[in-house]
C-alpha cells in the first residue's frame, strides 16, 4: 500500500485515490521508482516520485510541488509514458506538466521547490530520500501554463554517448512537449530558467516548432544517429493528424 507524506514537504500526503501512475518504472540500486500525476489535473494532485525497495518497503516519497497548496488544480504532473530515466547510480531524470512558474530567473543547479514544466534531475541521498540537483524550464513557461502547453507531455530521452555526443557536450538529453519545440539539453548542466541571452533558454538547441508530442521519442544510433517522434496537432490534446518525424543527428560549427 502506497501511503505517507512527502519527505520534502510533510504537509503533502499521498492519496492513491487521486493519483495516476502512467510513466514507466525504473529499478535503481535495489529500489523501484515510480512517478505519478493526476486524473485530468483534478485536485488535490501534484507530481510525485516514490521508491519501493525490492523487499516491499517504501524508501521515499517526493513531491515536485513542495510548498504548493494541495487544494489547487493538479500541478506538476509526471505523466508521459516513459518519463523516468536514469543515466547512472542514484540518478533520475523526469519531465513534468503545468503548474507553478517562478517569477524570476533561476540557475539550473539551484532548483526551486516547485518544479512544474521542467526537466529535472534527482539524486538519491544517503538516507534514501530524493533531492533535486538540476533542472530546465522553458523561458515561455508562463504562457505554456496558460494554454495547457505541458512540457512534460513528452518523455525526456538520454542519448547514448557513443552515437550522440561531441567533445564539448559528452552527455546529451532531449525533450519535446505540446508546444512542439525540441530542446537539446546538456545532461550535465540542464540550463535552469531564463538563463540564456536576453532571458531566453540556456540550451544547446531549440528546434522547431513541429506539432506537439504526447509520448516517448525513439532513438536509433546507427547510420549517423536518428531521433523519431510521433506528433499530433494542437497543444490541448492529441489530434487525428499525427505524423512520424525522423531527425538526423548533426553538429554545428560551434561543436553543439
Amino acid at each position: 500500500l502506497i501511503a505517507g507524506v512527502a519527505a520534502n514537504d510533510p504537509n503533502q500526503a499521498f492519496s492513491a485515490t487521486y493519483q495516476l501512475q502512467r510513466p514507466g518504472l525504473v529499478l535503481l540500486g535495489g529500489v523501484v521508482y515510480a512517478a505519478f500525476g493526476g486524473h485530468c489535473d483534478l485536485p488535490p494532485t501534484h507530481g510525485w516520485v516514490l521508491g519501493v525497495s525490492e523487499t516491499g518497503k517504501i524508501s521515499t516519497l517526493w513531491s515536485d510541488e513542495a510548498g504548493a497548496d494541495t487544494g489547487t488544480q493538479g500541478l506538476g504532473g509526471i505523466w508521459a509514458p516513459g518519463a523516468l530515466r536514469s543515466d547512472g547510480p542514484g540518478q533520475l531524470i523526469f519531465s513534468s506538466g503545468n503548474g507553478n512558474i517562478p517569477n524570476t530567473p533561476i540557475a539550473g543547479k539551484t532548483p526551486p521547490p516547485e518544479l512544474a514544466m521542467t526537466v529535472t534531475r534527482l539524486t538519491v541521498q544517503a538516507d534514501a530520500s530524493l533531492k533535486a540537483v538540476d533542472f530546465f524550464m522553458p523561458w515561455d513557461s508562463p504562457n505554456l501554463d496558460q494554454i495547457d502547453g505541458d512540457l512534460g507531455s513528452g518523455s525526456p530521452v538520454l542519448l547514448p554517448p557513443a552515437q550522440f555526443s561531441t567533445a564539448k557536450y559528452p552527455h546529451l538529453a532531449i525533450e519535446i512537449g505540446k508546444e512542439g519545440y525540441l530542446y537539446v539539453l546538456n545532461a550535465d548542466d540542464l540550463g535552469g530558467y531564463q538563463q540564456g541571452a536576453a532571458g531566453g533558454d540556456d540550451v544547446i538547441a531549440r528546434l522547431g516548432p513541429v506539432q506537439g508530442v504526447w509520448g516517448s521519442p525513439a532513438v536509433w544510433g546507427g547510420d549517423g544517429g536518428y531521433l523519431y517522434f510521433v506528433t499530433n496537432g494542437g497543444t490541448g490534446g492529441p489530434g487525428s493528424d499525427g505524423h512520424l518525424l525522423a531527425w538526423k543527428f548533426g553538429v554545428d560549427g560551434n561543436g553543439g
Side-chain angles (χ1 to χ4, degrees):
L1 178 66
I2 299 171
V5 299
N8 60 329
D9 185 354
N11 293 316
Q12 288 194 33
F14 184 92
S15 175
T17 301
Y18 298 101
Q19 297 295 152
L20 173 65
Q21 202 290 307
R22 189 166 179 258
L25 309 178
V26 172
L27 175 61
L28 186 66
V31 176
V32 176
Y33 291 94
F36 293 77
H39 295 274
C40 298
D41 293 335
L42 297 175
T45 60
H46 299 318
W48 290 81
V49 178
L50 67 90
V52 179
S53 71
E54 292 172 315
T55 60
K57 179 182 177 181
I58 294 176
S59 65
T60 193
L61 284 162
W62 181 89
S63 169
D64 68 4
E65 287 281 0
D69 180 1
T70 57
T72 59
Q73 181 181 9
L75 303 174
I78 306 170
W79 55 271
L84 279 179
R85 309 292 191 187
S86 178
D87 58 357
Q91 301 298 310
L92 291 169
I93 294 178
F94 69 87
S95 61
S96 59
N98 297 337
N100 292 305
I101 307 300
N103 295 320
T104 59
I106 301 177
K109 297 297 185 179
T110 57
E114 296 173 320
L115 285 161
M117 206 75 78
T118 64
V119 175
T120 296
R121 179 184 289 277
L122 300 176
T123 297
V124 181
Q125 304 298 288
D127 63 357
S129 66
L130 297 171
K131 180 181 179 180
V133 296
D134 198 6
F135 83 106
F136 163 70
M137 178 185 290
W139 72 269
D140 57 345
S141 287
N143 178 62
L144 295 181
D145 188 56
Q146 290 296 313
I147 65 172
D148 190 31
D150 301 54
L151 178 69
S153 67
S155 297
V157 174
L158 296 159
L159 300 181
Q163 294 85 22
F164 298 86
S165 65
T166 70
K168 187 175 182 180
Y169 301 111
H171 304 112
L172 301 175
I174 60 168
E175 173 66 18
I176 184 169
K178 290 183 182 179
E179 191 179 23
Y181 281 103
L182 173 67
Y183 296 95
V184 182
L185 307 175
N186 177 0
D188 300 319
D189 188 359
L190 293 174
Y193 177 50
Q194 296 183 345
Q195 296 297 294
D201 295 324
D202 182 16
V203 297
I204 298 171
R206 182 183 192 239
L207 307 174
V210 295
Q211 294 175 318
V213 169
W214 281 257
S216 181
V219 177
W220 166 245
D223 305 312
Y226 282 85
L227 308 176
Y228 298 91
F229 309 88
V230 176
T231 66
N232 295 277
T235 60
S240 59
D241 56 345
H243 298 85
L244 174 63
L245 302 183
W247 287 8
K248 192 176 190 303
F249 178 70
V251 179
D252 64 20
N254 297 318

